[in-house]
Structure formats: C-alpha cells, structure tokens
Amino acid sequence: MDRAQGVFENIKTRRSVRKYSDKAISDTDLDLIVEAGRWAPSGANAQPWRFVILRDRALIEAVGEVCYYALFRSRHVAEANVVIVILGDPSAGSATYIQDCTIAGTNMTLMAHALGIGSCWIGAFEDDTVRKILSIPDRMKITALISFGYAAREPRVTPRLGYKDIVHLDGYATSKKSGSIKASMERAGKSGPLSVVRQILGVLLNRRG
Ligand SMILES: Cc1cc2nc3c(=O)[nH]c(=O)nc-3n(C[C@H](O)[C@H](O)[C@H](O)COP(=O)(O)O)c2cc1C
C-alpha cells in the first residue's frame, strides 16, 4: 500500500470507540500518540496546546462522571485506559488556538488508530467540574477530552454525506447540488426525528457505537 493509500485508509477506518477492554496502553504507544499531537501544525506555530494525561483510575472515573453522549453520561470514559484533556492557551500567540488544539487531538486519534488503539472525542463535558478535579486554571480553555483504550467490540460504522452534498466548485452558490444536506443525512439514517429515537435507544441498550 502506498503512503497516500495508507493515510486515507487510516482516516477512513477510524471510529469512535465507546466500549473499552481493560487492556493497558503501553508507555511507548502513549508516547507516540502524544508525539502525534505535539507535531500538529498551529497558527504562527504558537503550539498553544497543553495535554493533561490521565492514567490514574480514580481520576479517569471522576472525569467520566461528567462526560456525555447525546443526553446520557458517557460510561466509556470512566472505562478508558487513558484520557487526554486538551487545553488551549488563548495567550500563546495564536488567534486560532481552538483550531490548533483540535488538529492536535485529531492527530492523536489517528495515531492511536494506526496503533490499533480506539479513541473517542468528548466535546460534551462539565467544564467547571473537570477544571476543579484537575486543577486547571481559568486562563486555560478546555477544548476537548479524548478517551483512549482497546476496543471491546467492533464500533458501528457511521455514515458520511456524499461528495456532492458538501463540495461546491468555484463558489458556493454557483455549483449544482444533488439535494439538501438534511435530505442526504436522512437517506443515510443519520438525522430526522427517527434518528434521535434510534440514538437514544442505542445508548439505553448500550448498543455498538
Ligand atoms: C468535536 C466533536 C465532539 C464530539 N463530542 C462527543 C461527545 O461529547 N460524546 C461522544 O460520545 N462522542 C462525541 N463525538 C464523537 C462523534 O459522535 C463521532 O465522531 C461521530 O458520530 C462520527 O463517528 P465516528 O467517529 O465513529 O466516525 C464528538 C466528535 C467531535 C469531532
């Protein structure tokens, strides 16, 4: 497989993992994951990220108590082997510090996947509580938490919008569209009233995903 194919395959097959086994992530693999974040690009190369790495079970469980998936508490965070909290420093010299941190986190999830390690991005968490548990100063923004661990089951494949639904050639209004994004997502079963019911049932039944 050539390099481009390998990169694309890694991007395409990464999934959010929400059920972890108790197999531990090695220090070597964790170092590689963090290195992938460290080498992310950033506005003005300001590198405004700081990574709080949680390996302590009690801390992971405490933080997991205040992470969510849809309307429910995310049980998988408390079961994760490692959680990385990505902090952004607004005074580091990059107006795009949140984007910078997001790219660093993305690099980490992709490196984890390449190592056979699952991850899940957590954007829904109680900021105040996480801040308190981890003694994070007010001047730092918590941009995201990412849980890491070995998947205990095959994650559900999630659909994507089609190329024509998202790409506009040479300007937004000029290109022909194949239909609305909403209609496309409904065709893929990802949005619409039924999908909300499906998502809630999935969480209640602890379905794959
Ligand atoms: C910015 C962002 C925030 C997210 N927040 C959460 C979250 O709070 N809880 C959760 O369980 N998953 C969260 N996810 C994971 C998404 O639900 C998941 O990426 C999406 O459904 C696509 O599935 P996939 O990652 O398996 O391809 C988040 C993803 C992103 C990129």
Side-chain angles (χ1 to χ4, degrees), residues 11-18 67-70 72 74 76-77 102 106 119-125 143-145 147 155-160 190 199 209:
I11 290 170
K12 193 174 174 186
T13 58
R14 181 215 50 81
R15 293 277 75 79
S16 292
V17 172
R18 297 190 182 87
C67 293
Y68 300 91
Y69 175 42
F72 301 92
S74 266
H76 72 272
V77 181
T102 306
T106 303
S119 66
C120 186
W121 195 283
I122 309 296
F125 56 87
T143 63
L145 278 68
S147 60
R156 190 167 55 98
V157 177
T158 47
R160 291 296 186 269
K190 185 66 184 168
Q199 199 179 7

